[in-house]
Amino acid sequence: MKGLPVLAFLLWLCALYLAGIYLFVSGFLLVRLEVNRSSTCGDVLQPGEEPLDFCRVPPRFRRAVLLIIDALKMDFARFDPGNTAPRPYENKLPVLEETVSSRPSHSRLFPFRADPPTTTMQRIKGFTTGSLPTFVDVGNNFASSAILEDNLIHQLGQVGKRVVFMGDDTWESLFPKKFHRSLPFPSFNVKDLHTVDNGILQHLYTTMVGDDWDVLVAHFLGVDHCGHRFGPDHPAMADKLTQMDGVIRSVIDRLQNDTLLVVMGDHGMTDTGDHGGESQKETDAAIFLYSPAPLFPGPPSQSEPDVVPQTDLVPTLALLLGIPIPYSSVGQVLLPLFPPDRADKGAVGGLSQLEALWVNAKQVNRFLETYSSMAKDIPPESLSQLKDEFSRLSSEYLTSVREGRSPSPELAASMQAYLTAVRYTCRATWARFNPLKMAAGLAILAFACLICLVLSELSLVFNREGGHRLKAPLVVALIGGLCVAVCQLLTRGYVEVAWCLAAAAFTSELFFLWKAHRSRVTATAKNGSKAPKCAGWLSSRHLLAPPLLVALLRCASLLSDSYVIAEGRVVTFLAFSLALYIPVHLNWDGLLLPPSHDPLKPAGLLPSAALSPSTVRKEGSTLLGCLGLLVGSLYLSLSFHGCREEQGSCQPSPFLSPLSRLQDTQLKNLHYILSVVSLGVWTHLLRSWLRHYGNLNSSGGTVFTARWILPLLSVCLGLHWAESGRAHQLGSAGLPRAAFCLLGLGLFLIWLDPVTVFLKTRAGASARGLSLPPPRYRASTSISPQAELHHLIPQIYQRIRRSLDDGELSGDSETEGRPAVEAYGLGTVYSAPLLLLCGLLGIGLLLLHPEGMALSFLLLLLEMAALLHIHASSTNLSGLHGTSSGGYNVPWTPVVLWSLAATQFFHATGHLPTFPSIQWGAAFVGFPDGHTGTILPASLVALNTFSAHILFAVGCPLLLFWPLVCEVRGSRGERAFGEEGEDAVMEMRLRENPHQFTSALLQLSARYLFIHGAQVFASVCAAAILRRHLMVWKVFAPKLMFEASGFLVSSVFLLIGVTLVLRVDLAVGHWFKRLIPDSSSPREVFALSAMGVLMSKKQQVEKVQKCTAVVSAFQAGIKDRAPVTKPAEAEVEDGEGPAKTSAVPDEKSTEEPHKEETDDRAGPSTSQQTVAPTRDECKVNKEAWSRLRDGKGVEPEDLDKSHQLTPPAFVRPKRDANDDQPVEVELEKKEQPPNDEMCDVCEVWTADDLYPCRICTRVFHDGCLRELGYLRAEALQEMRDTAHTVTGWSCYYCDNLNLLLTEEEMYSLMETFKQCKIIPESCLVSDELLQYRHFVSKQQFDKDLSDEQEEEVLAQFAALDPEKKGLIEWSDFLYFESLAVLRKFRTENSLVRLLTAKERDKARLVFLSLNVDKDGTITRAECRQAQQSWFHKLNKDSQSCNVSISHVGPICESSPASSGSERSKTDDSRPVTWADFLRESALYILAARPNSSAMHIRLPV
């Protein structure tokens, strides 16, 4: 199998999607323009006559202490003396309330509201620069880069103030080399509650008593980490807050009068301890202001703000410390900290409220002017209004200062309103969308989805061409990108990579679609048929099929914020609905239950063995049982969902909390036991499946992984849970790292040696048993050994496959019943390593989740198994009833269900498309001391977040393999009939047609990418359409980010899964080659391969023991056969040469070798035989059954196989999806197909010596037919006499009506023959025909034939024995039964499609001769007369005739004329149109094909 084209196509598709996502995101996510200018002391001037240096004015405070308690939410800071039973986080900071109550003029406590995103880095940036963050800033929380905008730390350094920092090392990366002294501590380990805080406390108090600092910044992390690890409602939180209370008290005691204390939180936290979003619990922190000197004019008043925005701290601290306000700040000074009137001296000095507002307004106006001149994104109307308002305020304020009068009281309120308006305008307009990039991204994503759809439907065509079709689009993409780059260089002087990428992707997509369209048009032109308006798969009926309709509904739901919020339940409902559709659809089509027999229908055939009620019932029960398991898994998985802020009273699952958070010991033990049991069941199920299918017997790397690494990994995980479940313990890194090592080793071994086949060899096999013909091989001196090997390998396992069936005929004793070679696990060679990979990854990903998620992961495994079995059972039921589409294609329904399950379990593992729901603790599993870089922790968090996407993407190829693993006999149309035990072949069937294998793999992958890509496209559309929506940054933008990230992860792991499949295929090929000794001839190769046995279960030894006869006979055949001296003299396998064949005889199929399988099983003996058949007799019977299956007919005794002519190739037709649709055959337009010019056998033209077939367009030499031996002397003479007359002659293709049956229909007929003890190629006497009919009646209707029915059978016998020999020929009996099968299983439209052009022309002549009045209709009586006239034997010398001639006889009771005597006179006069005539006559026309004089059909009365 060539896998590189598949990987190339998938990589190209993924690249297109990622290019579209990158372009859209680069144009959508908010990126505010940073103004890289700094304020100076001369920029901010006090009002007055003379300009003053602002920085030289004595500041209000000389020193400041900033205690930042990370995640100090307002609920933590409040104190309620009436709360007698406080929760762990309540009433633990009494120092704040005590200080505010006892010293109201020295302290205040305010709610401190942050701007989202509420991540630490963005909050530090917000309260040091005074600017508003943008959405894209949230991605920088992992890798904090230095702040380039003007900020408080920079301004403090500019004026010479010494800033000392200690705590969270994020500050060090944001402000590199800005501190006079810094003591950073690692901050990312959320499980570490004490390292940072204890490090601060070691230096805080000693630093405060020294004189080498002006501003002290201490950032505590214990409260935040305690919230992440345990949540706020935990005793550990009470301990942390109590510790912070003591810190604040100690700091207050050490403050001097010129020092300002600011205790603040950077953000809040949710009830689960998370943050990052914009809920009020996350944005509302606390700020406490205190100074030993009077700080406020008086006690709290109603004029003071209820909430302090976080950006307001920047201008307030700047003016209190006597430094310029940072340039880009849009904050507003906190007026209560400034005196109402500057003249009011006393204890309070510095700027007055109005002066502070003026300085603040002037700075904001300056920033607004600078920014608007650079960005041009503020609406001109709003900008003009703001400028006019500032001019008015400035004029009024300066006029009052010059005149020495007090400004009006309304001026301060106007300035505050102006500052608020500026901040509101900036917040509303700082969305620098790039419409062109967004549009380009949308277009690329749309075309990528279309290409995925095209590729999924036409994968067979694209895969046939390999990588050639992909080379041109890649070259065009390169040219397009280079052209855009050159144009940018010439016009702009620089290259913007985004537009080059857009041009490359867009041109590549358009060129590919154009080439695909041209290929379809070219193919249509070559076929000569009318081009359809659109491809069938692009029709509305196809696109609106239920599975795609569900996918469309899923995508449409992403445009509603309500559905996105409730996405977990929405996807669960859609998955349940689509799963329920499968049995409903099967039942609607009559496939779910065993078919009920119509007593009015004849007993011409037994029901097919594949259609046995027990088989259908078993598959239906399996499907319904798995559906129940799926529904149960979906329902239980809802218990593991998290909660969004918008969901109100929703309570998150208790399983989302780690064991260390649980305080109830019994509940903790119960959770641990459930988790360990779930983990054990997970491991047991995987090992049991591998053992069941024989994949645990070899000594390869994959088997070692399943036997040892998988259970050891589970043990490590269980011990790690026990250790980490202890409260206040970080847990060691040993067990998780050991688990990571085991996981890596297991994955490496799976890749290194993925084959799980165990080959057991027994020296010496019995030479007793049936004699089988020695194997044949392709003899050619021009074929290379490698090509010869490629021909042999696909037949190795076919020989192995049939050894079980052949062994059942031997009847040898069990002592000799052991084959020489037993291959365990070969039937599941592809799915075994893939399933083990999913199992290993599942345990590895579970390691990154809370312990309670083990039960959810077990439900995930059960849901995967249920989906796979539902898909397999529905495929089997469709195949059992002959409605299978053939090939290995995976329908849309299981693919859509698989993708829905991935999204559903994203929610069922506690995740949400919101940033607060990210489980940051996953970054520290195995790394409790933190990380030195950001790549590893970010990767661990990503693996945790998208674990469901990973497992379902890697396991996606299982959808292709599972129907083969669970396949039942006769459920696939491509099976060779007459072969039992086909389920043993399982996945080896894929190697019979490597081209279809790769095409199916490409189609499945493209469909899976299409579903996820469509979801990304829907998210992109939602974000683009609703970019000004109120909920865009809270709902749609996060959803877009998660959907795009999920697609990226799914794409990567889908490629990993497909690559593993290709790796297994390569390894299986090498495994087969190792079975072939270098010195062995091809005959010896087959001798070895015939000894192999496919074992699906090790326990099936009794089946293996039946193979001794086959092995012995094969060895005997090898020993008895004369050695071959030259390869060129080797016997050519029958049917190896090219031959023309078709389901419709007048249409030539492509040349393909016909592989004759002469070692097929023999048929059963008749009831008249009382002794066991001899070896030769069994051999003859086996060959007869083989010829019957292949449609070759009776092989003459004098057949000379030494000639070099092309033997006939008999290929059975396959039903198409549109077989039952009406066929339009024009009445007035004659087709008159010309006969071929060359002999069909020797392909030589010799003019008049060629004899044409009256049915098809083939012509033959009589000598070629005689040399082939397929026509006896009397038949040859009849051919010479009739071929050039109106009577005509049917060639051996058209004469054999049995060739009209499909493989499914032939399988049904052969099963009937076997059960009725019919020996192929033997004549039948009347008693045998009666016995056969009695058996059929007994099996179908549970009753014997009546006397009238026995007389009818005898009449049939007479019609089939026109020469009164007392027996009927095998061919006549076979044609009789074949017509009965056609009558029973085919519609009239399907039969019309079997007619050749010559037959349609003859029918046209008959109808026109009866249509005397030229009105296009005849009567019913004339129609029956015409049907009878087909069988009137005419004079062979006759030169003209209106009616086609042949001579065939009656069919059984099922014939259309069986009740003809009951027709009324009115029915005889009913009009019949040309289309009706052709449909009703099709069966009679087909029955007239054979040259035999027997009557194979009952004529209408």
Side-chain angles (χ1 to χ4, degrees), residues 1103-1126:
K1103 272 197 172 184
V1104 180
Q1105 293 173 347
K1106 297 179 181 179
C1107 300
T1108 305
V1110 180
V1111 177
S1112 303
F1114 194 84
Q1115 289 180 337
I1118 293 295
K1119 293 178 182 178
D1120 297 340
R1121 189 165 181 84
V1124 180
T1125 56
K1126 294 182 181 180

Side-chain angles (χ1 to χ4, degrees), residues 454 457-458 517 520 531-540 542-543:
V454 172
E457 300 299 332
L458 304 178
H517 175 72
R520 185 175 64 86
K533 294 182 179 179
C534 62
W537 52 267
L538 207 54
S539 63
S540 59
H542 180 85
L543 295 178

Side-chain angles (χ1 to χ4, degrees), residues 23 28 72 262 269 298 316 350 448 483 536 585 693 749 774 799 820 879 988 993 1058 1109 1257 1334 1449 1455:
L23 278 167
F28 172 75
L72 180 64
V262 180
M269 68 171 63
T316 303
C483 291
H585 179 67
Y693 286 102
L749 290 177
R799 181 76 62 168
M988 279 294 95
N993 196 332
V1058 173
T1257 59
H1334 272 290
S1455 75

